[in-house]
Each structure stands twice: as structure tokens, then as C-alpha cells.
Amino acid sequence: MTNEFIKLLGKKNLFIQGDEAAVYGALIANCRFFAGYPITPATEVAEGMAIWMPKLGGVYIQMEDEIASIAAVIGASCTGVKSMTATSGPGFSLMQECIGYACMAEIPCVIVNVQRGGPSTGQPTEAAQGDVMQAMWGTHGDHQIIALAPKSVQETLDLTIEAFNLSEDYRVPVILLMDAEIGHMREKVVLPEITDIKVEDRVPATIGIDKYRPYGTGFTRSSKVPEFAPFGSGYKTYVTGLTHDKRGFPVTTSAEVHEELVRRLIEKVSDDIDIIWYYEDSFLEDAEVIVVSYGTTSRPAASAVKMARKNGIKVGHVRLITIWPFNYEKMKDLLKNAHTIIVPEMNLGQMIHPIREIVNRDAKIISAPKIGGAIHTPYEILKIIEGSKN
Amino acid sequence: MKAGIRISGFGGQGIILSGVIVGKAAVFDGFNVVQTQSYGPEARGGFTRSEVVISDEEIDYPKVESATVSIIMSQEAFFKYALRTKKEGIIIYDPELIPDHKIEGNFKLAEVNATRIASELGTKIISNIVMLGAFNEVCNLISKDAMIESIKDSIPKMLDLNLNAFEVGRKKVKIIT
């Protein structure tokens, strides 16, 4: 087994930024098309792609804006090439329509959003977690995407590979929700051993060309994900954002066709929630207070929980790695014994909403928001933990 | 062992590159390292800082609160960060850039005329490397070999000039208290 990018890079121990780690992860996963419009703090992703893509026979293209960028990514992916774009808040807003298109047409793609302070152009160089709800609900209509939130540079690399795998497995857009802090942070990164790297590819069409229906399922397996035939392969494919039948042709007034399609788009992901919902927990056994965090905020949260434990407070920590879809059942179970839940976020309270839905009524839920660019300090979170004892 | 190094100044002085060099050197020495940076949207000018956390354990919180070592290259940065150094911590500064460097407290102070030395060596842009030489001389955090290795790995052009700047910084640093 070999990995073209790792061979070309020639070293295993690196000291790189989060943005670069997203590039390296994508290239390890065999991403060979990148279209983007550079924007702070995601510019280094485009830079890295511009450097590496030509060396790997891939394509880097700087488009005129973010709408064109995601459209190009979807088009490239239709030909069977693993494709990615990277942006930040203002660009992510522009991409929403096409993210919906990729959901509807089931085109695998990875969108890296290195979050900065918003709304609008906001704070270009400052970190935020303000796009959490937008990642799930930015595009209109019922749908399901997958979003992953790394907490370190190493995890950015690992989760970028995973983002491609999930995108390919489920034929769904996957959003890597980073932030300016991780995007620009440098840490020691160790590339995975080639034998440990799992790279998934979309399931190809195997049925005879005359029998193939692009959105028919179950031809070769029982999953709700249809087999993929790339443009130019000889198979007849048809792609549209309109509600379509199994041949891919628009059927826009049938409630039956619409319901079957939209339910399948959601269920193909949500049926596997226990497989794709990644999380970490610590000190939960006897925890009366639980801190729930994701992304960068998990780092001061972890420090605060350890400090509070030293002070004898029964506090635990749950870190969400897959933030969308949200695993309601599992979260309910993890949080069931706590009398207080604390949710630190670099926004004015977003992930707290699904948590509020599942926590039992007697428990107190404390939002610990922080905006403006600086990440929470461990002491800020510790104070809230200490204050929640009674 | 856990140490926090904060390098501050203005855009264009190589503040962030200095942080990268220190961080990478610490990786060569086998430490866990997190390097972060903060700057405005300007290409030059504007306030800039870079922080490096070095530890032999896993690093949760990536920022520096009270620095073990502060390397300061502008008056504004001195006012802002000198006092955010740990008790008995080290403050290294360029006195010609920071005329007002009076400070109360239990700190170890070290001076190096980095910008002037760099100009005399040929170009002001290597003043950050002079500062790093001074840093390596007065602190026992990172080995000299690792620092040199990291400079070689991080600076593609004018390597001899930079290595010389590093050596001169080591020799010319004056410990004040």
C-alpha cells in the first residue's frame, strides 16, 4: 500500500498550522480537486492546495467567488474526483444554496469552514464558533449534512480524512467546522502510518449500463445510498436540484416522490448515527456537573474540568466531535445523571439548543458564551463550574 | 516542565516567524508544543503577538496567561505585556525600540539592541533572529542545536546572515537584573 502524498512529502513529524493540516488530510484522502476563493482565516488552505495539487496531478482553481467555488467542486465531484473547498463565514453564507444542491443531488464534497467573528465580514482574524447552526440549517429545506469539529491540529488532519470518508460513504456534503484559532495554530503533527489510513471511495455502479438508475438503491447492497456512476463513464446520469425520481428526472408535484426522496436523504445518514457520531468523555462515572464542548473550546474546558476535579468537584466532560447530526438518544444517556450542564461556546448560545431539548427538566443548563475572538480561559469555565455546585 | 513564551511587537518585525522558530525547535527537542498568533488585518504595522506553550505533557489550553519568557519588540507591546510575565520570569527587550522600559516587580530583565545590531549586520529584517539568539542565551528552555536546526528549516533565504545574527544576539545580550 502506498499513499502518493505521504511519499511526496517525505517526512512524518511536522509542525504545521490547522489550515495546512486540512490540506494534508485532504491530500492523504486522495482529494484531487480544490476550487476556492481565499479568505482569512482560511487562506492557508488555498495556499497549500495551490502548492501541492500540481505536484500530485490534481487541480487547484481560484474562482471568482464562493458561489462559483462550491459549484465547481460539485461539478468536479460529479466526474468522480474527490473535491474540496475552504472558506470562512462570509463565503460560507454564499455557499449555502449549492450545499443544498449537493444534498439533493447526493454529490460527495468537503467544505472546510474556518470560522471567524460574524455576522457579515465581522472580525477576519478572530476566532468564533458562530456558524454552528448555519452549518446544519444554512441551506433551505429538510436535509441532513454531517459536520465535524476538530480541537487540535492533529485532529484537523485526522478528521479531514474522515470527512472525505463520510462524504464518500453517504454521498453527502461534509463540513469541517474549524475556527481561526485552530486554523492558525501550529502544533506537532504525526502523519498516520500508511497501514492505519482508511480511505473510502463512493460505491461505484456495477449493474449493467441499461439497467442503471442514478437514484435507484439496493442494486448491489441494501443501503439507502445509491451507487455512483461518474459523468463520462458511459452510464446515463442526470443531476438536478429539483425533486427527482430514481432516474434523476424532475418530478415536482408528487407528494409521494418528494417524501420518499427527502426522507431517504435524511435517513441514509441518521440511520447510522451511532456509527458516525464521534465523541469523547471523561470523569462521567460520578459526575453531577457536566461540561459539554466542541472544537477549540474543548481545550480550556478540559483544563477547567481537571482543575475542578483536583478541588474535589464531581464534574465530567463530554466533547462532541461529530456535531451534526446530533445524537439525541446517546446525549440524553450521557447527561442523565447530572444536575447541571454547562455549555461553553464562542457564540451567544447555539449548541445549547439541542442539548436543552434532551436534558431532563430538573437539571440546570448554563450557557457560557464568549465572543470577540479570545477563547475561554480555563479559569472562566472553572468559576462557572464552582458556582454551579449548589 | 511547562513554559509559556510570548513574543510581541508590530507587524513586519517577524514576530510570528520567531514564534514558529521557537515552536519548531521545541518539537526538535521532543516537547509538546502549541504556537498561536494574533494580528490585525494589516500587512505591516499593527499589533502582533505570537505565543508558544512548551510542555512534556499534553497541552490543553493553548494560550499563555503569565509568560515564563516575554520577548518584546515595541513600546506598545511592552506596556501591554511586560507585566503579564510570571514572577521571576524573564523579559527580553530591545531598549532602542522601547525607551520607556522602567518596570516594577520581580523579573529578570535582559537587553539586546536587536534592531541596531541587525542593521549593522546588513538588514533590519533579521532583528527577530538577534532577539532569538538573546533568548537562547538567557533561557535554558531549548537547546542551541534545536534552535539552529529550526532556523535552517524555517528560513529559506540568507541563511548564513541569519545564523550569524543568532550568534551575535547570543553574545550581545546584557542581563540587567
Side-chain angles (χ1 to χ4, degrees), chain A residues 11 13-15 17 40 44 124-126 151 181 184-188 296 298-300 302-303 306 375-379, chain B residues 16 19-24 27 30-41 52 58-63 65 153:
Chain A
K11 50 184 172 182
N13 293 304
L14 311 165
F15 185 62
Q17 288 189 310
T40 303
E44 290 84 351
T125 58
E126 301 291 344
K151 68 153 189 178
E181 197 62 54
H184 283 163
M185 177 192 289
R186 283 181 186 80
E187 283 186 291
K188 186 163 89 176
T296 303
S298 305
R299 300 177 69 139
S303 297
K306 285 177 200 162
I375 70 173
H376 295 71
T377 68
Y379 299 99
Chain B
I16 290 170
V20 175
I21 290 169
V22 171
K24 201 184 281 178
V27 170
F31 292 110
N32 287 317
V33 180
V34 184
Q35 179 263 337
T36 60
Q37 57 206 31
S38 169
Y39 54 88
V52 186
E58 196 191 334
I59 301 165
D60 286 326
Y61 185 56
K63 296 285 189 178
E65 289 182 288
D153 198 73

Side-chain angles (χ1 to χ4, degrees), chain B residues 9-171:
Chain B
F10 48 80
Q13 285 180 314
I15 299 293
I16 290 170
L17 179 62
S18 303
V20 175
I21 290 169
V22 171
K24 201 184 281 178
V27 170
F28 291 154
D29 269 349
F31 292 110
N32 287 317
V33 180
V34 184
Q35 179 263 337
T36 60
Q37 57 206 31
S38 169
Y39 54 88
E42 308 88 351
R44 276 177 187 69
F47 188 72
T48 304
R49 85 169 183 263
S50 179
E51 296 178 344
V52 186
V53 181
I54 299 171
S55 176
D56 33 30
E57 285 169 32
E58 196 191 334
I59 301 165
D60 286 326
Y61 185 56
K63 296 285 189 178
V64 172
E65 289 182 288
S66 288
T68 318
V69 184
S70 295
I71 301 171
I72 306 181
M73 292 184 72
S74 81
Q75 185 71 62
E76 185 195 356
F78 192 89
F79 289 146
K80 201 163 173 179
Y81 286 122
L83 282 171
R84 289 180 61 188
T85 307
K86 269 197 177 113
K87 243 189 211 172
E88 293 173 19
I90 304 171
I91 303 174
I92 307 164
Y93 58 94
D94 180 339
E96 289 181 15
L97 291 177
I98 305 163
D100 185 358
H101 49 259
K102 258 186 243 128
I103 185 164
E104 304 264 318
N106 186 6
F107 306 113
K108 201 168 152 189
L109 301 178
E111 281 187 3
V112 62
N113 292 313
T115 311
R116 181 153 50 86
I117 291 168
S119 295
E120 285 164 8
L121 291 174
T123 170
K124 246 172 28 177
I125 64 169
I126 55 174
S127 61
N128 59 336
I129 308 297
V130 179
M131 290 301 280
L132 291 185
F135 159 74
N136 194 228
E137 179 64 24
V138 299
C139 310
N140 285 323
L141 288 171
I142 297 165
S143 71
K144 185 185 168 191
D145 287 351
M147 285 295 290
I148 288 173
E149 208 46 48
S150 178
I151 290 171
K152 285 182 183 166
D153 198 73
S154 311
I155 300 177
K157 286 181 193 166
M158 303 194 299
L159 187 60
D160 290 343
L161 192 61
N162 278 283
L163 290 174
N164 191 29
F166 183 75
E167 273 309 322
V168 176
R170 285 171 57 89
K171 282 184 196 131

Side-chain angles (χ1 to χ4, degrees), chain A residues 190-225:
Chain A
V190 182
L191 290 189
E193 291 296 328
I194 287 181
T195 46
D196 292 341
I197 300 170
K198 192 185 76 172
V199 172
E200 307 269 339
D201 296 313
R202 56 198 82 167
V203 174
T206 50
I207 198 163
I209 283 184
D210 51 329
K211 285 186 189 142
Y212 178 73
R213 289 183 299 162
Y215 295 98
T217 56
F219 291 122
T220 55
R221 58 184 198 139
S222 59
S223 136
K224 289 177 178 167
V225 185

